[in-house]
PDB file of all heavy atoms in Angstrom:
ATOM      1  N   MET Q 980      26.658   0.444   8.579  1.00 94.00           N
ATOM      2  CA  MET Q 980      25.259   0.648   8.238  1.00 94.00           C
ATOM      3  C   MET Q 980      24.829   2.016   8.764  1.00 94.00           C
ATOM      4  O   MET Q 980      25.026   2.327   9.934  1.00 94.00           O
ATOM      5  CB  MET Q 980      24.431  -0.473   8.869  1.00 94.00           C
ATOM      6  CG  MET Q 980      22.979  -0.478   8.459  1.00 94.00           C
ATOM      7  SD  MET Q 980      22.144  -2.061   8.725  1.00 94.00           S
ATOM      8  CE  MET Q 980      22.557  -2.441  10.426  1.00 94.00           C
ATOM      9  N   ARG Q 981      24.262   2.835   7.888  1.00 96.00           N
ATOM     10  CA  ARG Q 981      23.884   4.181   8.307  1.00 96.00           C
ATOM     11  C   ARG Q 981      22.646   4.629   7.538  1.00 96.00           C
ATOM     12  O   ARG Q 981      22.377   4.146   6.435  1.00 96.00           O
ATOM     13  CB  ARG Q 981      25.019   5.177   8.090  1.00 96.00           C
ATOM     14  CG  ARG Q 981      25.418   5.430   6.645  1.00 96.00           C
ATOM     15  CD  ARG Q 981      26.466   4.510   6.128  1.00 96.00           C
ATOM     16  NE  ARG Q 981      26.905   4.901   4.781  1.00 96.00           N
ATOM     17  CZ  ARG Q 981      27.494   4.078   3.921  1.00 96.00           C
ATOM     18  NH1 ARG Q 981      27.712   2.819   4.247  1.00 96.00           N
ATOM     19  NH2 ARG Q 981      27.880   4.518   2.747  1.00 96.00           N
ATOM     20  N   ILE Q1221      16.904 -11.203   3.417  1.00 98.00           N
ATOM     21  CA  ILE Q1221      18.150 -10.517   3.778  1.00 98.00           C
ATOM     22  C   ILE Q1221      19.269 -11.519   4.001  1.00 98.00           C
ATOM     23  O   ILE Q1221      20.403 -11.317   3.548  1.00 98.00           O
ATOM     24  CB  ILE Q1221      17.934  -9.649   5.030  1.00 98.00           C
ATOM     25  CG1 ILE Q1221      16.991  -8.482   4.710  1.00 98.00           C
ATOM     26  CG2 ILE Q1221      19.278  -9.120   5.559  1.00 98.00           C
ATOM     27  CD1 ILE Q1221      16.511  -7.737   5.935  1.00 98.00           C
ATOM     28  N   ARG Q1222      18.968 -12.608   4.682  1.00 98.00           N
ATOM     29  CA  ARG Q1222      20.002 -13.618   4.927  1.00 98.00           C
ATOM     30  C   ARG Q1222      20.519 -14.197   3.616  1.00 98.00           C
ATOM     31  O   ARG Q1222      21.737 -14.326   3.421  1.00 98.00           O
ATOM     32  CB  ARG Q1222      19.455 -14.729   5.827  1.00 98.00           C
ATOM     33  CG  ARG Q1222      19.211 -14.290   7.253  1.00 98.00           C
ATOM     34  CD  ARG Q1222      19.161 -15.477   8.200  1.00 98.00           C
ATOM     35  NE  ARG Q1222      18.826 -15.029   9.555  1.00 98.00           N
ATOM     36  CZ  ARG Q1222      19.688 -14.476  10.380  1.00 98.00           C
ATOM     37  NH1 ARG Q1222      20.940 -14.299  10.007  1.00 98.00           N
ATOM     38  NH2 ARG Q1222      19.319 -14.106  11.591  1.00 98.00           N
ATOM     39  N   GLY Q1225      22.160 -11.187   1.534  1.00 98.00           N
ATOM     40  CA  GLY Q1225      23.220 -10.550   2.311  1.00 98.00           C
ATOM     41  C   GLY Q1225      24.431 -11.441   2.474  1.00 98.00           C
ATOM     42  O   GLY Q1225      25.580 -10.977   2.391  1.00 98.00           O
ATOM     43  N   GLU Q1226      24.220 -12.727   2.715  1.00 97.00           N
ATOM     44  CA  GLU Q1226      25.339 -13.657   2.862  1.00 97.00           C
ATOM     45  C   GLU Q1226      26.101 -13.844   1.560  1.00 97.00           C
ATOM     46  O   GLU Q1226      27.251 -14.302   1.577  1.00 97.00           O
ATOM     47  CB  GLU Q1226      24.826 -15.001   3.374  1.00 97.00           C
ATOM     48  CG  GLU Q1226      24.369 -14.937   4.841  1.00 97.00           C
ATOM     49  CD  GLU Q1226      23.628 -16.175   5.301  1.00 97.00           C
ATOM     50  OE1 GLU Q1226      23.407 -17.096   4.458  1.00 97.00           O
ATOM     51  OE2 GLU Q1226      23.271 -16.246   6.491  1.00 97.00           O
ATOM     52  N   LEU Q1230      23.614  -7.134  -1.547  1.00 98.00           N
ATOM     53  CA  LEU Q1230      22.783  -6.015  -1.123  1.00 98.00           C
ATOM     54  C   LEU Q1230      23.532  -4.713  -1.403  1.00 98.00           C
ATOM     55  O   LEU Q1230      24.592  -4.477  -0.840  1.00 98.00           O
ATOM     56  CB  LEU Q1230      22.452  -6.113   0.369  1.00 98.00           C
ATOM     57  CG  LEU Q1230      21.718  -7.377   0.824  1.00 98.00           C
ATOM     58  CD1 LEU Q1230      21.480  -7.331   2.327  1.00 98.00           C
ATOM     59  CD2 LEU Q1230      20.410  -7.568   0.071  1.00 98.00           C
ATOM     60  N   VAL Q1233      19.452  -0.033   0.761  1.00 98.00           N
ATOM     61  CA  VAL Q1233      18.141  -0.458   1.242  1.00 98.00           C
ATOM     62  C   VAL Q1233      17.152   0.701   1.207  1.00 98.00           C
ATOM     63  O   VAL Q1233      17.480   1.820   1.605  1.00 98.00           O
ATOM     64  CB  VAL Q1233      18.246  -1.002   2.689  1.00 98.00           C
ATOM     65  CG1 VAL Q1233      16.866  -1.365   3.241  1.00 98.00           C
ATOM     66  CG2 VAL Q1233      19.184  -2.205   2.741  1.00 98.00           C
ATOM     67  N   PHE Q1235      14.080   1.604   3.235  1.00 98.00           N
ATOM     68  CA  PHE Q1235      13.510   1.128   4.498  1.00 98.00           C
ATOM     69  C   PHE Q1235      12.114   1.703   4.695  1.00 98.00           C
ATOM     70  O   PHE Q1235      11.935   2.844   5.125  1.00 98.00           O
ATOM     71  CB  PHE Q1235      14.408   1.502   5.684  1.00 98.00           C
ATOM     72  CG  PHE Q1235      14.339   0.486   6.788  1.00 98.00           C
ATOM     73  CD1 PHE Q1235      15.386  -0.387   7.015  1.00 98.00           C
ATOM     74  CD2 PHE Q1235      13.199   0.369   7.573  1.00 98.00           C
ATOM     75  CE1 PHE Q1235      15.312  -1.344   8.015  1.00 98.00           C
ATOM     76  CE2 PHE Q1235      13.114  -0.574   8.568  1.00 98.00           C
ATOM     77  CZ  PHE Q1235      14.170  -1.442   8.797  1.00 98.00           C
ATOM     78  N   THR Q1257      10.756  -4.252  12.693  1.00 96.00           N
ATOM     79  CA  THR Q1257      11.856  -3.373  12.298  1.00 96.00           C
ATOM     80  C   THR Q1257      13.173  -3.768  12.961  1.00 96.00           C
ATOM     81  O   THR Q1257      14.222  -3.810  12.311  1.00 96.00           O
ATOM     82  CB  THR Q1257      11.516  -1.911  12.642  1.00 96.00           C
ATOM     83  OG1 THR Q1257      10.301  -1.555  11.978  1.00 96.00           O
ATOM     84  CG2 THR Q1257      12.623  -0.975  12.185  1.00 96.00           C
ATOM     85  N   TYR Q1258      13.128  -4.054  14.235  1.00 96.00           N
ATOM     86  CA  TYR Q1258      14.357  -4.397  14.942  1.00 96.00           C
ATOM     87  C   TYR Q1258      14.955  -5.693  14.403  1.00 96.00           C
ATOM     88  O   TYR Q1258      16.167  -5.782  14.185  1.00 96.00           O
ATOM     89  CB  TYR Q1258      14.103  -4.528  16.443  1.00 96.00           C
ATOM     90  CG  TYR Q1258      15.373  -4.649  17.254  1.00 96.00           C
ATOM     91  CD1 TYR Q1258      16.036  -3.507  17.699  1.00 96.00           C
ATOM     92  CD2 TYR Q1258      15.924  -5.889  17.550  1.00 96.00           C
ATOM     93  CE1 TYR Q1258      17.209  -3.587  18.427  1.00 96.00           C
ATOM     94  CE2 TYR Q1258      17.097  -5.987  18.285  1.00 96.00           C
ATOM     95  CZ  TYR Q1258      17.735  -4.849  18.724  1.00 96.00           C
ATOM     96  OH  TYR Q1258      18.905  -4.937  19.434  1.00 96.00           O
ATOM     97  N   ASP Q1259      14.113  -6.706  14.157  1.00 97.00           N
ATOM     98  CA  ASP Q1259      14.613  -7.977  13.612  1.00 97.00           C
ATOM     99  C   ASP Q1259      15.287  -7.759  12.267  1.00 97.00           C
ATOM    100  O   ASP Q1259      16.326  -8.362  11.971  1.00 97.00           O
ATOM    101  CB  ASP Q1259      13.465  -8.979  13.453  1.00 97.00           C
ATOM    102  CG  ASP Q1259      13.002  -9.563  14.785  1.00 97.00           C
ATOM    103  OD1 ASP Q1259      13.698  -9.350  15.801  1.00 97.00           O
ATOM    104  OD2 ASP Q1259      11.946 -10.219  14.788  1.00 97.00           O
ATOM    105  N   VAL Q1260      14.689  -6.910  11.437  1.00 98.00           N
ATOM    106  CA  VAL Q1260      15.250  -6.645  10.108  1.00 98.00           C
ATOM    107  C   VAL Q1260      16.602  -5.954  10.230  1.00 98.00           C
ATOM    108  O   VAL Q1260      17.585  -6.337   9.568  1.00 98.00           O
ATOM    109  CB  VAL Q1260      14.262  -5.813   9.272  1.00 98.00           C
ATOM    110  CG1 VAL Q1260      14.945  -5.242   8.033  1.00 98.00           C
ATOM    111  CG2 VAL Q1260      13.067  -6.659   8.864  1.00 98.00           C
ATOM    112  N   LEU Q1261      16.700  -4.934  11.072  1.00 97.00           N
ATOM    113  CA  LEU Q1261      17.970  -4.228  11.242  1.00 97.00           C
ATOM    114  C   LEU Q1261      19.033  -5.142  11.850  1.00 97.00           C
ATOM    115  O   LEU Q1261      20.202  -5.107  11.452  1.00 97.00           O
ATOM    116  CB  LEU Q1261      17.777  -3.002  12.115  1.00 97.00           C
ATOM    117  CG  LEU Q1261      17.027  -1.829  11.458  1.00 97.00           C
ATOM    118  CD1 LEU Q1261      16.667  -0.785  12.502  1.00 97.00           C
ATOM    119  CD2 LEU Q1261      17.860  -1.203  10.346  1.00 97.00           C
ATOM    120  N   GLU Q1262      18.638  -5.955  12.803  1.00 97.00           N
ATOM    121  CA  GLU Q1262      19.582  -6.879  13.416  1.00 97.00           C
ATOM    122  C   GLU Q1262      20.099  -7.894  12.400  1.00 97.00           C
ATOM    123  O   GLU Q1262      21.292  -8.231  12.398  1.00 97.00           O
ATOM    124  CB  GLU Q1262      18.916  -7.599  14.585  1.00 97.00           C
ATOM    125  CG  GLU Q1262      19.865  -8.436  15.427  1.00 97.00           C
ATOM    126  CD  GLU Q1262      19.186  -8.991  16.657  1.00 97.00           C
ATOM    127  OE1 GLU Q1262      18.046  -9.505  16.537  1.00 97.00           O
ATOM    128  OE2 GLU Q1262      19.788  -8.902  17.744  1.00 97.00           O
ATOM    129  N   THR Q1263      19.216  -8.361  11.502  1.00 98.00           N
ATOM    130  CA  THR Q1263      19.636  -9.307  10.468  1.00 98.00           C
ATOM    131  C   THR Q1263      20.589  -8.644   9.481  1.00 98.00           C
ATOM    132  O   THR Q1263      21.591  -9.245   9.065  1.00 98.00           O
ATOM    133  CB  THR Q1263      18.414  -9.874   9.726  1.00 98.00           C
ATOM    134  OG1 THR Q1263      17.505 -10.448  10.671  1.00 98.00           O
ATOM    135  CG2 THR Q1263      18.841 -10.953   8.730  1.00 98.00           C
ATOM    136  N   LEU Q1264      20.315  -7.412   9.098  1.00 98.00           N
ATOM    137  CA  LEU Q1264      21.242  -6.680   8.231  1.00 98.00           C
ATOM    138  C   LEU Q1264      22.610  -6.561   8.899  1.00 98.00           C
ATOM    139  O   LEU Q1264      23.652  -6.736   8.252  1.00 98.00           O
ATOM    140  CB  LEU Q1264      20.688  -5.292   7.912  1.00 98.00           C
ATOM    141  CG  LEU Q1264      19.531  -5.234   6.908  1.00 98.00           C
ATOM    142  CD1 LEU Q1264      18.823  -3.887   6.962  1.00 98.00           C
ATOM    143  CD2 LEU Q1264      20.033  -5.516   5.492  1.00 98.00           C
ATOM    144  N   HIS Q1265      22.620  -6.283  10.187  1.00 97.00           N
ATOM    145  CA  HIS Q1265      23.876  -6.221  10.943  1.00 97.00           C
ATOM    146  C   HIS Q1265      24.565  -7.577  10.938  1.00 97.00           C
ATOM    147  O   HIS Q1265      25.783  -7.675  10.713  1.00 97.00           O
ATOM    148  CB  HIS Q1265      23.582  -5.764  12.372  1.00 97.00           C
ATOM    149  CG  HIS Q1265      24.783  -5.708  13.253  1.00 97.00           C
ATOM    150  ND1 HIS Q1265      25.261  -6.815  13.947  1.00 97.00           N
ATOM    151  CD2 HIS Q1265      25.624  -4.687  13.566  1.00 97.00           C
ATOM    152  CE1 HIS Q1265      26.326  -6.476  14.630  1.00 97.00           C
ATOM    153  NE2 HIS Q1265      26.575  -5.181  14.424  1.00 97.00           N
ATOM    154  N   ASP Q1266      23.808  -8.650  11.159  1.00 97.00           N
ATOM    155  CA  ASP Q1266      24.386  -9.990  11.258  1.00 97.00           C
ATOM    156  C   ASP Q1266      25.032 -10.451   9.955  1.00 97.00           C
ATOM    157  O   ASP Q1266      26.033 -11.171   9.978  1.00 97.00           O
ATOM    158  CB  ASP Q1266      23.317 -11.005  11.676  1.00 97.00           C
ATOM    159  CG  ASP Q1266      22.871 -10.825  13.120  1.00 97.00           C
ATOM    160  OD1 ASP Q1266      23.548 -10.091  13.867  1.00 97.00           O
ATOM    161  OD2 ASP Q1266      21.829 -11.404  13.490  1.00 97.00           O
ATOM    162  N   VAL Q1267      24.464 -10.048   8.805  1.00 98.00           N
ATOM    163  CA  VAL Q1267      25.044 -10.477   7.522  1.00 98.00           C
ATOM    164  C   VAL Q1267      26.168  -9.548   7.070  1.00 98.00           C
ATOM    165  O   VAL Q1267      26.734  -9.734   5.986  1.00 98.00           O
ATOM    166  CB  VAL Q1267      23.966 -10.596   6.412  1.00 98.00           C
ATOM    167  CG1 VAL Q1267      22.919 -11.628   6.797  1.00 98.00           C
ATOM    168  CG2 VAL Q1267      23.335  -9.238   6.082  1.00 98.00           C
ATOM    169  N   GLY Q1268      26.482  -8.550   7.881  1.00 97.00           N
ATOM    170  CA  GLY Q1268      27.602  -7.677   7.563  1.00 97.00           C
ATOM    171  C   GLY Q1268      27.284  -6.544   6.613  1.00 97.00           C
ATOM    172  O   GLY Q1268      28.193  -5.941   6.035  1.00 97.00           O
ATOM    173  N   PHE Q1269      26.009  -6.201   6.469  1.00 98.00           N
ATOM    174  CA  PHE Q1269      25.663  -5.086   5.588  1.00 98.00           C
ATOM    175  C   PHE Q1269      26.182  -3.786   6.187  1.00 98.00           C
ATOM    176  O   PHE Q1269      25.949  -3.484   7.355  1.00 98.00           O
ATOM    177  CB  PHE Q1269      24.142  -5.007   5.398  1.00 98.00           C
ATOM    178  CG  PHE Q1269      23.711  -3.848   4.547  1.00 98.00           C
ATOM    179  CD1 PHE Q1269      23.949  -3.844   3.185  1.00 98.00           C
ATOM    180  CD2 PHE Q1269      23.065  -2.754   5.111  1.00 98.00           C
ATOM    181  CE1 PHE Q1269      23.557  -2.766   2.396  1.00 98.00           C
ATOM    182  CE2 PHE Q1269      22.670  -1.676   4.332  1.00 98.00           C
ATOM    183  CZ  PHE Q1269      22.921  -1.689   2.971  1.00 98.00           C
ATOM    184  N   SER Q1270      26.887  -3.003   5.377  1.00 96.00           N
ATOM    185  CA  SER Q1270      27.484  -1.754   5.869  1.00 96.00           C
ATOM    186  C   SER Q1270      27.110  -0.568   4.985  1.00 96.00           C
ATOM    187  O   SER Q1270      27.826   0.424   4.929  1.00 96.00           O
ATOM    188  CB  SER Q1270      29.012  -1.882   5.932  1.00 96.00           C
ATOM    189  OG  SER Q1270      29.544  -2.177   4.643  1.00 96.00           O
ATOM    190  N   GLY Q1271      25.978  -0.692   4.287  1.00 96.00           N
ATOM    191  CA  GLY Q1271      25.596   0.352   3.348  1.00 96.00           C
ATOM    192  C   GLY Q1271      24.567   1.318   3.883  1.00 96.00           C
ATOM    193  O   GLY Q1271      24.410   1.513   5.086  1.00 96.00           O
ATOM    194  N   LEU Q1273      20.775   2.996   4.373  1.00 98.00           N
ATOM    195  CA  LEU Q1273      19.353   2.730   4.566  1.00 98.00           C
ATOM    196  C   LEU Q1273      18.583   4.001   4.234  1.00 98.00           C
ATOM    197  O   LEU Q1273      18.641   4.981   4.979  1.00 98.00           O
ATOM    198  CB  LEU Q1273      19.063   2.332   6.015  1.00 98.00           C
ATOM    199  CG  LEU Q1273      19.891   1.209   6.638  1.00 98.00           C
ATOM    200  CD1 LEU Q1273      19.575   1.108   8.134  1.00 98.00           C
ATOM    201  CD2 LEU Q1273      19.595  -0.119   5.952  1.00 98.00           C
ATOM    202  N   MET Q1302      17.211   2.846  16.620  1.00 96.00           N
ATOM    203  CA  MET Q1302      17.311   1.394  16.504  1.00 96.00           C
ATOM    204  C   MET Q1302      18.754   0.964  16.234  1.00 96.00           C
ATOM    205  O   MET Q1302      19.257   0.004  16.840  1.00 96.00           O
ATOM    206  CB  MET Q1302      16.408   0.903  15.374  1.00 96.00           C
ATOM    207  CG  MET Q1302      14.942   0.888  15.715  1.00 96.00           C
ATOM    208  SD  MET Q1302      14.518  -0.558  16.690  1.00 96.00           S
ATOM    209  CE  MET Q1302      12.740  -0.546  16.567  1.00 96.00           C
ATOM    210  N   LEU Q1303      19.425   1.663  15.339  1.00 96.00           N
ATOM    211  CA  LEU Q1303      20.800   1.297  14.998  1.00 96.00           C
ATOM    212  C   LEU Q1303      21.725   1.450  16.193  1.00 96.00           C
ATOM    213  O   LEU Q1303      22.622   0.619  16.409  1.00 96.00           O
ATOM    214  CB  LEU Q1303      21.302   2.158  13.833  1.00 96.00           C
ATOM    215  CG  LEU Q1303      20.711   1.853  12.463  1.00 96.00           C
ATOM    216  CD1 LEU Q1303      21.238   2.828  11.415  1.00 96.00           C
ATOM    217  CD2 LEU Q1303      21.015   0.431  12.027  1.00 96.00           C
ATOM    218  N   GLU Q1304      21.524   2.508  16.976  1.00 96.00           N
ATOM    219  CA  GLU Q1304      22.366   2.687  18.166  1.00 96.00           C
ATOM    220  C   GLU Q1304      22.144   1.544  19.154  1.00 96.00           C
ATOM    221  O   GLU Q1304      23.104   1.031  19.750  1.00 96.00           O
ATOM    222  CB  GLU Q1304      22.076   4.017  18.836  1.00 96.00           C
ATOM    223  CG  GLU Q1304      22.961   4.282  20.044  1.00 96.00           C
ATOM    224  CD  GLU Q1304      22.807   5.673  20.622  1.00 96.00           C
ATOM    225  OE1 GLU Q1304      22.175   6.525  19.972  1.00 96.00           O
ATOM    226  OE2 GLU Q1304      23.322   5.890  21.736  1.00 96.00           O
ATOM    227  N   ALA Q1305      20.891   1.111  19.311  1.00 95.00           N
ATOM    228  CA  ALA Q1305      20.612  -0.011  20.220  1.00 95.00           C
ATOM    229  C   ALA Q1305      21.278  -1.294  19.738  1.00 95.00           C
ATOM    230  O   ALA Q1305      21.842  -2.045  20.531  1.00 95.00           O
ATOM    231  CB  ALA Q1305      19.097  -0.201  20.331  1.00 95.00           C
ATOM    232  N   ILE Q1306      21.239  -1.535  18.424  1.00 95.00           N
ATOM    233  CA  ILE Q1306      21.862  -2.742  17.875  1.00 95.00           C
ATOM    234  C   ILE Q1306      23.374  -2.696  18.032  1.00 95.00           C
ATOM    235  O   ILE Q1306      24.019  -3.688  18.414  1.00 95.00           O
ATOM    236  CB  ILE Q1306      21.462  -2.912  16.398  1.00 95.00           C
ATOM    237  CG1 ILE Q1306      19.991  -3.332  16.319  1.00 95.00           C
ATOM    238  CG2 ILE Q1306      22.355  -3.917  15.673  1.00 95.00           C
ATOM    239  CD1 ILE Q1306      19.402  -3.269  14.933  1.00 95.00           C
ATOM    240  N   ASP Q1307      23.975  -1.531  17.795  1.00 91.00           N
ATOM    241  CA  ASP Q1307      25.417  -1.387  17.952  1.00 91.00           C
ATOM    242  C   ASP Q1307      25.841  -1.648  19.398  1.00 91.00           C
ATOM    243  O   ASP Q1307      26.851  -2.317  19.668  1.00 91.00           O
ATOM    244  CB  ASP Q1307      25.876  -0.007  17.513  1.00 91.00           C
ATOM    245  CG  ASP Q1307      25.835   0.169  15.992  1.00 91.00           C
ATOM    246  OD1 ASP Q1307      25.796  -0.863  15.289  1.00 91.00           O
ATOM    247  OD2 ASP Q1307      25.840   1.318  15.530  1.00 91.00           O
ATOM    248  N   ARG Q1308      25.084  -1.123  20.356  1.00 92.00           N
ATOM    249  CA  ARG Q1308      25.445  -1.306  21.769  1.00 92.00           C
ATOM    250  C   ARG Q1308      25.279  -2.766  22.197  1.00 92.00           C
ATOM    251  O   ARG Q1308      26.072  -3.281  22.979  1.00 92.00           O
ATOM    252  CB  ARG Q1308      24.583  -0.404  22.642  1.00 92.00           C
ATOM    253  CG  ARG Q1308      24.930   1.060  22.491  1.00 92.00           C
ATOM    254  CD  ARG Q1308      24.333   1.899  23.594  1.00 92.00           C
ATOM    255  NE  ARG Q1308      24.714   3.303  23.466  1.00 92.00           N
ATOM    256  CZ  ARG Q1308      24.511   4.217  24.406  1.00 92.00           C
ATOM    257  NH1 ARG Q1308      23.916   3.872  25.541  1.00 92.00           N
ATOM    258  NH2 ARG Q1308      24.881   5.462  24.212  1.00 92.00           N
ATOM    259  N   GLN Q1309      24.255  -3.420  21.668  1.00 88.00           N
ATOM    260  CA  GLN Q1309      24.046  -4.814  22.010  1.00 88.00           C
ATOM    261  C   GLN Q1309      25.165  -5.687  21.458  1.00 88.00           C
ATOM    262  O   GLN Q1309      25.540  -6.704  22.054  1.00 88.00           O
ATOM    263  CB  GLN Q1309      22.698  -5.287  21.448  1.00 88.00           C
ATOM    264  CG  GLN Q1309      22.354  -6.736  21.794  1.00 88.00           C
ATOM    265  CD  GLN Q1309      20.959  -7.103  21.337  1.00 88.00           C
ATOM    266  OE1 GLN Q1309      20.022  -6.349  21.475  1.00 88.00           O
ATOM    267  NE2 GLN Q1309      20.814  -8.298  20.789  1.00 88.00           N
ATOM    268  N   ALA Q1310      25.732  -5.262  20.320  1.00 82.00           N
ATOM    269  CA  ALA Q1310      26.796  -6.055  19.685  1.00 82.00           C
ATOM    270  C   ALA Q1310      28.151  -5.852  20.349  1.00 82.00           C
ATOM    271  O   ALA Q1310      29.095  -6.605  20.074  1.00 82.00           O
ATOM    272  CB  ALA Q1310      26.880  -5.681  18.200  1.00 82.00           C
ATOM    273  N   GLU Q1311      28.292  -4.844  21.192  1.00 78.00           N
ATOM    274  CA  GLU Q1311      29.585  -4.560  21.827  1.00 78.00           C
ATOM    275  C   GLU Q1311      29.991  -5.666  22.802  1.00 78.00           C
ATOM    276  O   GLU Q1311      29.146  -6.229  23.485  1.00 78.00           O
ATOM    277  CB  GLU Q1311      29.520  -3.213  22.558  1.00 78.00           C
ATOM    278  CG  GLU Q1311      29.445  -2.028  21.615  1.00 78.00           C
ATOM    279  CD  GLU Q1311      29.312  -0.707  22.357  1.00 78.00           C
ATOM    280  OE1 GLU Q1311      29.173  -0.728  23.601  1.00 78.00           O
ATOM    281  OE2 GLU Q1311      29.333   0.340  21.707  1.00 78.00           O
TER     282      GLU Q1311
END
Side-chain angles (χ1 to χ4, degrees):
M980 187 160 50
R981 65 271 186 202
I1221 292 169
R1222 290 200 184 281
E1226 289 170 357
L1230 301 179
V1233 176
F1235 212 106
T1257 302
Y1258 190 88
D1259 286 349
V1260 166
L1261 287 169
E1262 189 173 45
T1263 305
L1264 286 164
H1265 178 274
D1266 290 347
V1267 299
F1269 178 72
S1270 59
L1273 308 172
M1302 284 280 194
L1303 288 177
E1304 182 173 349
I1306 288 169
D1307 288 341
R1308 290 195 178 191
Q1309 182 174 318
E1311 290 177 354

